[in-house]
Amino acid sequence: MKRHIFSLLFLLTLSTAQSKAQEQKAQNPIIFADVPDMSMLRDGDTYYMSSTTMHMNPGVPIMKSKDLVNWELVSYAYDTLEPLETLDLENGKNTYGKGTWASCLRKYGDTFYLTTFAQTTGKTYIFTTKNIEKEPWKRIEFKPSLHDHTFIIDNGKPYLIYGGGDLRIVQLKDDLSGVIPETEKILIKDAHSPATDKIMLPAEGSQMFKINGKYYIFNICWPRDGMRTVVVHRSDNLMGPYEGKMVLQDKGVAQGGLISTPDNKWFAYLFQDHGAVGRIPYLVPVEWKDGWPVLGIDGKVPMELDLPASKGLIPGIVNSDDFSRKKGENTLPLVWQWNHNPDNSLWSLTAKKGQLRLTTGRVDKVITQSKNILTQRTIGPVCSGETVIDVQNMKEGDFAGLTLLQKNYGFVGVKVTQEGKFIVMHNASTGNAVEEVCIPLSKKKVYLKASCDFNNKKDEALFYYSLDGKKWNKVGTVLKMTYTMPHFMGYRFGLFNFATTTAGGYVDFDYFKISDKN
């Protein structure tokens, strides 16, 4: 009997130990949040990564990690791109889904280079710095806008490789101020051809690497009736000729490049379109065979990785904020980004100490055209965001509250009419906003909450309000979240205040709390 009990205890202990060991390993996706178009480099034992946030400001986030799994935001390439009507949300214009796209992050010598491009301005941008975490980026810009380019300095000369379908190369001036005339040439024609000739989306998203004297270019393509696919070309010479292979076609995980660890393990960093939460990063193990990178385990993307486990996306990628600041701290933590260019005269953390004040400066018809929506990412598989808002100083026609921002947005908040203040929930699941409820409000403050469920692409959100921060009431209908191409971004929590009648009203947010639970 004792032997049976001992055996049972041993098996239970072994099972628990195995379970804990599995829990200590990293899982794919490594970041369950909208971090697309990654570009990575390793500097000693530290990894850095840039990504795309398009119309958000500050723009082009830079993250760092010590283990390829746990990342934290450390800087941005720029505060604002340019003062244009589209970027400023002026005269009914916007640049949703545009702004800056796929960046390329590299280091040569003691200088970090970050290059990107913007359809909104028609320009290519090159940023440089000696200290990627603490120094501002020096900015260089020129026309035209070179789509999905990758940057390389080879034999002391700078080049950009760009385009879709046919990949082109241009040599830059030594000061990076523009393209040297008559240096453009087609580098690879029909770069998608190693995958298929029946193409829905031709090869794009180039990232070049020079490894052991060979040149490798990673691209994505999308075969018709297929999925996003990784294609790699290689050559012994920068200018070619190149030979290509399809290297991964699984789960739609594609677009990215290569990264190595200090102990010479290799991974491909890629991302997957994952519904309303956005485009989420994966790591795929890489082995080398006959000078080619072989991606995955038997051609498949593993869900478990031989890397340290994630400690969660809070506080590295998203975080709560009580809006109190100590001397020397950033006015706004890096997890926050403004929707389009902010009007810095209309927000404050000092007008009422320890609170975020948003003041209306003009009249708008819809939330998506309103100034100064302060946003941060939603995260999967589930998450919730909560705030409390002082509504005493709103004016007639004002709306203020908490939104889940995308083209088909939803929000819970307060509106003011001639009859008084009302708690409202707006639902734009269908593309047209509907006011689902309108509840009289007599309190000076109201607590608001939004919860998201991205499990198995369920992509649903619920909204709540409370009058005391303890008892919560569900309000309105389910928001069916949809990743739309016009916004081209995962849903974001947003704090907002806009006027539809008279400018000048203001609200104060006491805190924002984000949780990875519902």
Side-chain angles (χ1 to χ4, degrees):
M1 182 66 177
K2 288 183 179 179
R3 181 178 298 174
H4 289 303
I5 293 173
F6 176 79
S7 298
L8 181 60
L9 288 172
F10 174 76
L11 290 173
L12 286 171
T13 302
L14 180 62
S15 176
T16 302
Q18 289 174 338
S19 177
K20 287 183 177 179
Q22 290 175 348
E23 288 175 2
Q24 291 170 359
K25 288 191 174 184
Q27 305 290 317
N28 268 322
I30 57 164
I31 300 175
F32 207 140
D34 194 40
V35 182
D37 302 336
M38 306 93 72
S39 180
M40 284 189 197
L41 64 81
R42 177 171 59 85
D43 187 31
D45 64 351
T46 303
Y47 305 93
Y48 293 101
M49 173 170 67
S50 64
S51 179
T52 294
T53 52
M54 301 177 200
H55 48 275
M56 296 289 173
N57 286 297
V60 190
I62 311 297
M63 291 150 273
K64 81 168 183 178
S65 173
K66 288 291 187 179
D67 58 15
L68 283 174
V69 176
N70 295 283
W71 294 88
E72 63 175 314
L73 285 153
V74 293
S75 67
Y76 288 91
Y78 60 83
D79 287 330
T80 57
L81 196 61
E82 289 192 24
L84 301 177
E85 284 186 331
T86 50
L87 292 165
D88 289 337
L89 290 172
E90 294 287 351
N91 296 321
K93 298 180 180 179
N94 61 62
T95 190
Y96 285 109
K98 295 182 181 177
T100 53
W101 276 12
S103 56
C104 180
L105 183 63
R106 297 289 183 262
K107 186 181 183 185
Y108 293 100
D110 62 352
T111 302
F112 292 92
Y113 298 83
L114 187 143
T115 69
T116 187
F117 68 103
Q119 316 93 315
T120 306
T121 62
K123 295 179 182 179
T124 296
Y125 297 85
I126 299 179
F127 300 88
T128 62
T129 186
K130 302 289 187 183
N131 189 323
I132 196 170
E133 296 186 38
K134 296 181 180 178
E135 289 184 1
W137 293 84
K138 177 185 175 184
R139 171 169 157 172
I140 303 167
E141 59 189 63
F142 59 83
K143 291 187 174 183
S145 170
L146 300 181
H147 176 80
D148 274 12
H149 65 250
T150 183
F151 176 72
I152 186 172
I153 296 179
D154 192 54
N155 295 320
K157 299 298 181 182
Y159 300 87
L160 290 177
I161 298 161
Y162 72 98
D166 295 342
L167 303 185
R168 300 172 181 270
I169 188 169
V170 292
Q171 184 177 340
L172 302 181
K173 298 174 184 177
D174 288 345
D175 63 2
L176 308 178
S177 62
V179 174
I180 297 177
E182 300 182 4
T183 61
E184 179 181 322
K185 63 169 284 189
I186 293 178
L187 193 64
I188 302 173
K189 188 169 181 60
D190 295 329
H192 59 268
S193 59
T196 181
D197 59 353
K198 297 177 180 178
I199 202 71
M200 183 169 76
L201 180 72
E204 61 178 10
S206 298
Q207 293 200 32
M208 169 166 272
F209 306 88
K210 188 176 182 180
I211 301 168
N212 296 329
K214 288 186 179 292
Y215 300 84
Y216 297 86
I217 303 179
F218 272 61
N219 286 102
I220 173 187
C221 69
W222 198 323
R224 192 172 302 280
D225 301 320
M227 67 180 71
R228 298 167 73 250
T229 301
V230 183
V231 174
V232 172
H233 287 80
R234 75 173 185 183
S235 176
D236 293 323
N237 189 293
L238 175 64
M239 294 299 175
Y242 283 85
E243 56 180 331
K245 275 190 177 183
M246 184 184 77
V247 297
L248 185 68
Q249 192 176 65
D250 184 43
K251 301 181 177 69
V253 173
Q255 190 164 341
L258 292 170
I259 193 74
S260 66
T261 65
D263 58 353
N264 206 37
K265 292 179 182 177
W266 287 83
F267 293 90
Y269 55 86
L270 308 164
F271 67 83
Q272 178 193 63
D273 294 334
H274 201 85
V277 75
R279 298 179 289 168
I280 61 179
Y282 279 67
L283 284 176
V284 180
V286 172
E287 292 184 353
W288 290 89
K289 185 175 181 180
D290 300 327
W292 287 98
V294 179
L295 275 62
I297 307 299
D298 296 326
K300 300 297 182 182
V301 176
M303 299 311 290
E304 185 176 274
L305 299 164
D306 188 18
L307 289 169
S310 172
K311 298 174 184 176
L313 304 186
I314 303 170
I317 302 298
V318 298
N319 201 15
S320 300
D321 193 349
D322 66 2
F323 299 121
S324 297
R325 299 290 179 264
K326 296 178 182 177
K327 188 176 181 180
E329 288 184 327
N330 289 340
T331 305
L332 286 174
L334 298 176
V335 296
W336 290 113
Q337 288 178 285
W338 297 102
N339 177 35
H340 289 67
N341 291 345
D343 184 337
N344 293 320
S345 69
L346 298 175
W347 69 273
S348 173
L349 292 180
T350 58
K352 189 172 184 180
K353 190 174 180 180
Q355 301 199 16
L356 168 69
R357 176 166 294 179
L358 296 181
T359 303
T360 63
R362 68 179 192 192
V363 170
D364 290 297
K365 292 182 179 180
V366 294
I367 186 175
T368 49
Q369 284 298 128
S370 64
K371 289 268 195 176
N372 289 3
I373 303 178
L374 187 61
T375 81
Q376 57 175 290
R377 294 169 179 83
T378 56
I379 60 175
V382 297
C383 64
S384 64
E386 176 190 327
T387 191
V388 60
I389 180 173
D390 184 330
V391 298
Q392 294 181 80
N393 298 289
M394 295 176 69
K395 292 189 174 185
E396 183 182 335
D398 288 0
F399 288 80
L402 174 65
T403 185
L404 286 168
L405 183 63
Q406 232 274 1
K407 177 178 178 289
N408 297 350
Y409 62 86
F411 71 72
V412 60
V414 174
K415 77 170 182 180
V416 182
T417 71
Q418 289 181 340
E419 288 73 34
K421 295 182 176 70
F422 298 85
I423 297 169
V424 294
M425 183 268 172
H426 283 207
N427 190 327
S429 292
T430 63
N432 297 310
V434 176
E435 185 171 282
E436 299 288 357
V437 293
C438 185
I439 303 168
L441 175 67
S442 58
K443 298 277 189 177
K444 297 177 181 179
K445 292 184 178 180
V446 63
Y447 298 79
L448 307 171
K449 183 183 291 187
S451 65
C452 304
D453 187 346
F454 300 110
N455 273 303
N456 300 314
K457 297 186 182 179
K458 186 177 181 181
D459 293 351
E460 291 183 351
L462 295 171
F463 293 89
Y464 304 83
Y465 77 93
S466 173
L467 300 179
D468 58 9
K470 298 175 183 178
K471 181 183 178 183
W472 291 92
N473 307 283
K474 190 174 85 169
V475 59
T477 53
V478 173
L479 174 68
K480 182 57 181 176
M481 296 181 287
T482 307
Y483 188 97
T484 70
M485 294 304 289
H487 278 217
F488 208 6
M489 181 174 287
Y491 275 75
R492 287 194 163 223
F493 292 112
L495 307 180
F496 70 91
N497 181 30
F498 70 97
T500 63
T501 304
T502 305
Y506 64 86
V507 293
D508 295 307
F509 295 88
D510 194 14
Y511 63 78
F512 175 77
K513 294 178 183 176
I514 189 167
S515 171
D516 57 4
K517 298 177 177 61
N518 279 341

